[in-house]
Amino acid sequence: MSMEYFLESCCTDVEQIRRAQEAGARRIELCEKLAVGGVTPSAELLKAAISVAKVPVNVLVRPRGGDFVFSAAEADTMLRDIELCREAGAAAVVIGALDSRGDVDMPLMRRLCDAASGMSVTFHRAFDVCADPLAAFEDVLALGCDRLLTSGHESDAFKGRFFIAELVERAAGRIIVMPGCGVRRSNIARIAADTGAVEFHASSAFFD
């Protein structure tokens, strides 16, 4: 099953990485504290993950759980973490920031994207709580992000699959729209058929 699709596995430790790549994961998204939606992994975990991974490692850069409106101090932390990701050899960073209106925080996102120059950039599921998803999608495109991780502005990707299909069509090859959240062996074929997506994001449990 896993080899039929380009699958990214969300992993929080080295053992999950080993299992996922052995089962066919094509890429890893590394983070910690999934109970709060994921935060930036420790420097120790980042180094260990890069050392054992045989596939690209994309790293979540998020200083805390909760909302996606970040203070100046949190922005500085994210900029430092992006540099640590670069030094460790990460393939990409996974980032996202909104302003108090629920729009993409374009000034901060430009700073983060500039800091990530030379690495791939995924805009994460902050997109799924934005105020106007179509406007946000245009902002993500304008930033030049390589990938958008989304559940289609719904609680999971299966529920949001028809909006994801609209985003895939709007993208027209300019960005990879990657369904994530609730992608399982039991529904991935339906999500793939209904969305036209070419990459999928799943928890490490998908590969167990």
Side-chain angles (χ1 to χ4, degrees):
M1 167 70 76
S2 61
M3 295 300 290
E4 298 176 23
Y5 304 98
F6 188 109
L7 280 159
E8 174 182 277
S9 175
C10 178
C11 296
T12 59
D13 61 48
V14 167
E15 184 54 36
Q16 288 180 356
I17 293 172
R18 288 196 178 102
R19 291 201 307 270
Q21 62 188 10
E22 287 171 2
R26 303 279 293 277
R27 187 172 57 233
I28 301 299
E29 186 206 67
L30 185 68
C31 65
E32 290 187 306
K33 299 183 180 178
L34 284 178
V36 296
V39 299
T40 309
S42 68
E44 292 76 18
L45 176 57
L46 175 58
K47 291 176 184 176
I50 297 292
S51 70
V52 303
K54 300 175 183 177
V55 296
V57 176
N58 293 4
V59 182
L60 178 64
V61 176
R62 184 185 181 203
R64 55 164 173 77
D67 65 28
F68 300 99
V69 181
F70 298 111
S71 68
E74 289 169 336
D76 288 342
T77 296
M78 295 167 78
L79 290 166
R80 289 194 297 270
D81 287 341
I82 288 172
E83 187 55 36
L84 289 174
C85 292
R86 181 193 306 284
E87 293 172 356
V93 291
V94 183
I95 54 179
L98 304 179
D99 61 25
S100 59
R101 299 181 302 276
D103 299 324
V104 175
D105 186 338
M106 292 296 280
L108 175 54
M109 282 301 303
R110 288 191 183 100
R111 292 174 65 200
L112 298 176
C113 289
D114 286 347
S117 178
M119 291 187 285
S120 182
V121 173
T122 297
F123 194 99
H124 60 47
R125 291 190 61 229
F127 176 83
D128 291 318
V129 295
C130 66
D132 183 338
L134 291 181
F137 187 65
E138 293 302 319
D139 286 339
V140 173
L141 286 172
L143 288 166
C145 295
D146 302 287
R147 187 174 290 101
L148 172 65
L149 171 61
T150 179
S151 59
H153 226 246
E154 294 284 355
S155 57
D156 64 63
F158 187 79
K159 292 178 181 176
R161 67 192 186 280
F162 297 115
F163 184 57
I164 294 173
E166 181 180 346
L167 296 178
V168 170
E169 184 176 0
R170 284 175 177 266
R174 292 175 293 170
I175 188 173
I176 295 170
V177 179
M178 180 170 61
C181 187
V183 174
R184 301 182 176 91
R185 290 177 182 267
S186 60
N187 65 20
I188 188 170
R190 181 76 175 276
I191 294 171
D194 287 343
T195 64
V198 297
E199 295 185 8
F200 303 86
H201 175 94
S203 73
S204 62
F206 185 101
F207 300 91
D208 290 342

